[in-house]
């Protein structure tokens, strides 16, 4: 196009010169008309001008033709290079005719290509880990789909467990370093060229295995990832341990397009979380119904506190020797509008994962402190034990929420006990211990729940500011029939006594278990053989009979005070 414009301008210039020649001829014919006939002079001048114009046209055309072709080639070549993101491939002739132009274009295009490569890399790479991001992962996986052979590929969806607790307690910079360390560790487990490893967002990662191998290969990769996470990560002065829930699906059996594979692997991952986390789960078609139910549960949980759908049930704890009531445990129940009364085990994991556990835990704490005010007839040494999650403790403002609840209800902090799970608290002991120590300084006692099922050692256990340990019911259940179970329970009771802790046995369901626990020196027990979890009114009635004190029933004023 530029060449055509150049030719047109040259023709216009030549036309202008021709017109000037015509004008000059007319002028000279007037001046020399008396010597040479005007018509002859006019014809001679015009002929001479025409010949000169034709010659100049030929010369100009020959001179401009190589430039014109070179410019046209430059236009087409640059357009093609732009589409292909490559350097322009100019011919030798074009480079000879327009050397400076072609060199300048080469440099400009090279700079543009580098800029484009940098922008493309930024757009397709996760900034924290350097792995492919969601967009890049999608493009890479789609190149392998659809498959025609069975067991042709596998997709693993990885979600880190307890990662949000790290972010909430230690900050996003530590969280980012943990993600980097995780990515580096897993990258070392995978064979180059045989897998695609990416970070989707937050604590979610994916691995695509494009080759054959089926369930055995994908399960082996998942097992290697889980095994790698058993070793703590050292981030600065922190030793951090996280687990992973992994969902696995295969192409084409579980889907033969990217979106279906991602959805099914995500569904399997949530199933792994529901089954206890830190495990891998293969996708099954029935999981879609479970995923839908989970989503409905999540949505219902978000408004359950405001809707007043939670209630507290109480289960008594008695002295092993005297049988007198010593305490009670506050157990959360959900009066679901469709499914009826649900125990905490059916929804607490979902509350943990979605973060609603913080709001629910605050409500349970305030409600339990209100109940304490109604139990004054049981004496000042009576305690009400409330379960708190690690995520609730690590959340900003936990200590403030405890102090606010005490102030709001006016309850005696000495009658409140907070229960924490052994296995979970040991993972975050450095961050949890100072908060528990402060809470304990208020007069609140601390208990370690499910003791004997975790992996704590004596040094770490002694570092916790606790008052009692609760022996897990899985150990108590078999003490009448299993010598090893009796040995373990006896060891825990002796350990508690040696460290100055009180021991509480959970899940006592038979009289023989009560007798054995008493002989072992256990101080408090709790279970169905003593009293099942019951609502407030039933508990007050039971406590009145058990304690022989008729004045502990709830007064109308107390009932009104807590709504």
């Amino acid at each position: 196009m530029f060449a055509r414009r150049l030719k047109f301008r040259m023709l216009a210039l030549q036309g202008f010169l021709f017109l000037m020649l015509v004008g000059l001829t007319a002028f000279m014919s007037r001046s020399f008309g008396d010597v040479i006939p005007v018509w002859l002079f006019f014809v001679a001048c015009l002929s001479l001008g025409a010949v000169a114009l034709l010659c100049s046209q030929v010369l100009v055309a020959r001179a401009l033709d190589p430039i014109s072709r070179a410019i046209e080639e430059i236009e087409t070549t640059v357009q093609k290079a732009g589409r292909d993101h490559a350097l322009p491939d100019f011919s030798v002739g074009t480079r000879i005719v327009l050397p400076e132009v072609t060199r300048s274009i080469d440099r400009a295009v090279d700079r543009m290509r580098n800029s484009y490569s940098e922008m493309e890399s930024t757009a397709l790479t996760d900034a924290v880990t350097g792995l492919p991001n969601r967009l890049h992962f999608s493009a890479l996986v789609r190149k392998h789909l659809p498959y025609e052979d069975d067991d042709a590929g596998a997709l693993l969806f990885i979600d880190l467990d307890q990662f949000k607790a790290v972010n909430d307690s230690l900050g996003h910079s530590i969280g980012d370093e943990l993600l980097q360390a995780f990515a580096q560790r897993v990258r070392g487990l995978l064979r180059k060229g045989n897998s695609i490893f990416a970070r989707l967002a937050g604590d979610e990662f994916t691995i695509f295995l494009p080759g054959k191998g089926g369930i055995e290969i994908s399960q082996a990769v998942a097992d290697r990832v889980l095994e790698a996470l058993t070793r703590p990560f050292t981030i600065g002065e922190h030793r951090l341990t996280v687990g992973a829930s992994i969902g696995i699906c295969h192409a084409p059996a579980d889907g033969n397009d990217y979106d279906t594979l991602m959805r099914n692997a995500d569904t399997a991952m949530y199933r792994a979380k529901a089954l206890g986390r830190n495990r891998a789960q293969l996708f099954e078609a029935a999981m879609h119904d479970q995923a839908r139910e989970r989503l409905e549960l999540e949505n219902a949980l978000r408004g359950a506190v405001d809707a007043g759908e939670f209630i507290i049930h109480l289960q008594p704890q008695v002295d092993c020797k005297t049988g007198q009531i010593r305490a009670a445990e506050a157990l959360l129940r959900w009066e679901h509008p469709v499914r009826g009364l649900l125990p905490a085990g059916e929804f607490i994991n979902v509350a943990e994962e979605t973060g609603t556990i913080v709001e629910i835990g605050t409500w349970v704490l305030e409600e339990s402190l209100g109940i304490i005010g109604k139990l004054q007839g049981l004496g000042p040494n009576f305690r009400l034990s409330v379960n708190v999650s690690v995520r609730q403790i690590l959340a900003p403002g936990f200590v403030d929420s405890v102090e606010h609840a005490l102030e709001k209800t006016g309850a005696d902090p000495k009658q409140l006990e907070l229960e924490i799970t052994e296995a979970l608290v040991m993972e975050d002991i450095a961050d949890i211990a100072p908060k528990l120590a402060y809470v304990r300084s208020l007069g609140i006692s601390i208990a370690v729940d499910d003791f004997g099922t975790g992996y704590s050692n004596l040094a770490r256990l002694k570092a916790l500011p606790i008052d009692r340990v609760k022996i897990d019911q899985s150990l108590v259940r078999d003490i009448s029939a299993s010598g090893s179970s009796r040995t373990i329970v006896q060891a825990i009771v002796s350990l508690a006594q040696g460290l100055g802790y009180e021991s509480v046995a959970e899940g006592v369901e038979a009289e023989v278990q009560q007798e054995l626990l008493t002989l072992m020196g256990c101080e408090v027990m709790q279970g169905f053989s003593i009293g099942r979890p019951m609502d407030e009114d039933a508990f007050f009635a039971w406590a009145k009979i058990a304690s022989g004190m008729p004045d502990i029933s709830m007064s109308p004023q107390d009932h009104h005070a807590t709504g």
Side-chain angles (χ1 to χ4, degrees):
M1 184 176 292
F2 176 79
R4 287 196 297 270
R5 288 199 299 266
L6 183 60
K7 286 182 178 180
F8 175 77
R9 290 172 182 174
M10 291 302 298
L11 288 173
L13 177 60
Q14 290 169 353
F16 177 72
L17 292 174
F18 182 75
L19 291 176
M20 287 183 64
L21 182 60
V22 170
L24 181 62
T25 301
F27 173 76
M28 293 181 67
S29 65
R30 288 184 180 180
S31 301
F32 300 98
D34 53 346
V35 178
I36 303 173
V38 174
W39 65 270
L40 181 60
F41 185 82
F42 188 75
V43 170
C45 288
L46 286 181
S47 299
L48 183 62
V51 171
L53 185 62
L54 182 60
C55 292
S56 68
Q57 174 68 29
V58 172
L59 293 174
V60 168
R62 286 189 176 183
L64 289 180
D65 190 57
I67 298 176
S68 175
R69 287 199 302 270
I71 292 173
E72 287 179 352
E73 181 186 335
I74 286 173
E75 287 182 330
T76 56
T77 304
V78 168
Q79 289 174 0
K80 184 178 184 299
R83 288 193 302 269
D84 300 339
H85 307 297
L87 283 172
D89 186 19
F90 298 125
S91 66
V92 176
T94 298
R95 293 190 179 276
I96 292 174
V97 173
L98 296 173
E100 292 299 326
V101 173
T102 53
R103 281 197 293 269
S104 297
I105 292 175
D106 283 341
R107 289 193 295 268
V109 171
D110 190 47
R111 287 195 296 269
M112 290 170 59
R113 287 178 66 238
N114 292 336
S115 298
Y116 178 83
S117 297
E118 292 175 4
M119 289 187 293
E120 185 179 44
S121 176
T122 301
L124 298 178
T125 303
D126 175 59
V128 175
T129 62
L131 297 173
N133 61 13
R134 180 189 294 271
L135 181 65
H136 197 189
F137 180 73
S138 171
L140 293 173
V141 173
R142 290 178 197 273
K143 291 179 180 179
H144 295 274
L145 301 173
Y147 281 114
E148 295 181 1
D149 300 329
D150 293 338
D151 296 326
L155 194 149
L156 285 68
F157 197 116
I158 305 170
D159 186 270
L160 297 183
D161 300 324
Q162 293 96 41
F163 175 75
K164 190 174 189 308
V166 173
N167 258 357
D168 291 344
S169 60
L170 302 179
H172 289 279
S173 60
I174 297 295
D176 286 349
E177 290 187 50
L178 178 58
L179 292 175
Q180 292 167 3
F182 168 76
Q184 184 176 359
R185 187 175 293 183
V186 173
R187 193 188 283 116
L189 303 175
L190 303 174
R191 294 172 59 187
K192 247 183 179 181
N194 288 348
S195 60
I196 303 170
F197 181 35
R199 180 191 178 206
L200 296 186
D203 57 359
E204 295 178 344
F205 293 80
T206 46
I207 299 174
F208 184 70
L209 306 172
K212 290 189 176 183
I215 294 174
E216 292 79 10
I217 296 298
S218 59
Q219 188 68 58
V221 172
D223 290 343
R224 288 203 297 270
V225 172
L226 293 173
E227 192 279 331
L229 290 175
T230 61
R231 305 189 303 275
F233 293 93
T234 301
I235 309 296
E237 59 184 14
H238 305 282
R239 283 175 59 82
L240 305 174
T241 302
V242 294
S245 298
I246 305 176
I248 307 172
C249 69
H250 296 87
D254 300 326
N256 213 7
D257 63 87
Y258 173 78
D259 294 330
T260 301
L261 287 172
M262 285 292 290
R263 182 172 63 252
N264 291 343
D266 184 54
T267 299
M269 181 273 292
Y270 275 111
R271 181 61 179 163
K273 282 187 176 293
L275 292 175
R277 305 186 181 193
N278 204 36
R279 57 179 294 156
Q281 178 66 45
L282 293 171
F283 172 77
E284 298 173 4
M287 291 179 182
H288 280 309
D289 293 334
Q290 298 166 351
R292 186 183 66 254
E293 292 175 2
R294 175 193 164 86
L295 181 60
E296 292 173 353
L297 193 68
E298 285 183 17
N299 293 333
L301 263 178
R302 297 186 191 282
V305 171
D306 292 337
E309 295 172 357
F310 290 119
I311 60 173
I312 299 294
H313 278 192
L314 304 172
Q315 186 174 30
Q317 299 175 358
V318 300
D319 189 288
C320 288
K321 292 181 179 179
T322 66
Q324 290 294 312
I325 184 169
R326 291 272 301 275
E329 182 177 358
L331 300 170
L332 182 63
R333 299 290 184 264
W334 182 11
E335 292 182 312
H336 192 280
V338 176
R339 297 169 58 182
L341 191 66
L342 301 179
E346 294 194 25
F347 60 86
I348 206 69
N349 283 341
V350 177
E352 287 269 7
E353 292 162 12
T354 58
T356 52
I357 189 65
V358 177
E359 180 188 13
I360 294 171
T362 300
W363 179 88
V364 170
L365 182 61
E366 292 186 0
E367 190 72 10
S368 299
L369 286 172
I371 293 173
I372 287 176
K374 309 169 193 176
L375 298 174
Q376 297 306 311
L378 292 174
N381 294 325
F382 176 83
R383 297 185 319 276
L384 185 59
S385 187
V386 178
N387 290 278
V388 291
S389 75
V390 170
R391 185 164 184 176
Q392 184 181 353
I393 297 173
L394 291 175
F398 168 71
V399 171
D400 292 338
S401 68
V402 173
E403 291 180 319
H404 174 74
L406 288 170
E407 183 180 350
K408 180 180 178 180
T409 60
D412 184 354
K414 294 180 180 178
Q415 293 187 281
L416 175 65
E417 178 175 81
L418 299 183
E419 285 189 21
I420 52 176
T421 303
E422 176 200 14
L424 293 179
V425 77
M426 287 299 166
E427 295 178 5
D428 301 282
I429 189 170
D431 306 301
I432 289 176
K435 292 187 176 184
L436 293 181
Y438 180 82
V439 167
R440 191 165 179 259
S441 71
L442 301 176
I444 299 170
S445 56
I446 306 294
V448 174
D449 195 13
D450 299 335
F451 191 82
T453 61
Y455 48 86
S456 54
N457 56 49
L458 292 181
R460 300 185 79 189
L461 180 65
K462 192 168 175 54
L464 279 174
I466 62 177
D467 300 279
R468 53 191 57 84
V469 295
K470 298 188 72 175
I471 306 170
D472 187 71
Q473 58 184 336
S474 64
L475 299 174
V476 174
R477 185 183 302 120
D478 298 328
I479 59 171
S480 59
S482 169
S484 59
S485 293
R486 286 194 295 273
T487 300
I488 293 172
V489 172
Q490 180 66 74
I492 293 175
V493 171
S494 300
L495 171 65
Q497 290 174 344
L499 294 174
Y501 305 147
E502 188 175 60
S503 55
V504 181
E506 295 183 291
V508 181
E509 298 180 353
E511 187 173 341
V512 63
Q513 293 171 338
Q514 297 182 34
E515 293 173 356
L516 286 171
L517 288 166
T518 302
L519 289 173
M520 291 177 185
C522 184
E523 292 147 296
V524 180
M525 54 189 171
Q526 168 186 352
F528 283 1
S529 67
I530 297 159
R532 290 176 174 271
M534 58 196 92
D535 62 29
E536 285 186 34
D537 292 337
F539 179 80
F540 285 122
W542 181 92
K544 184 194 301 186
I545 296 171
S547 65
M549 300 175 65
D551 59 342
I552 66 166
S553 59
M554 181 170 53
S555 68
Q557 278 186 326
D558 288 333
H559 192 282
H560 177 73
T562 57

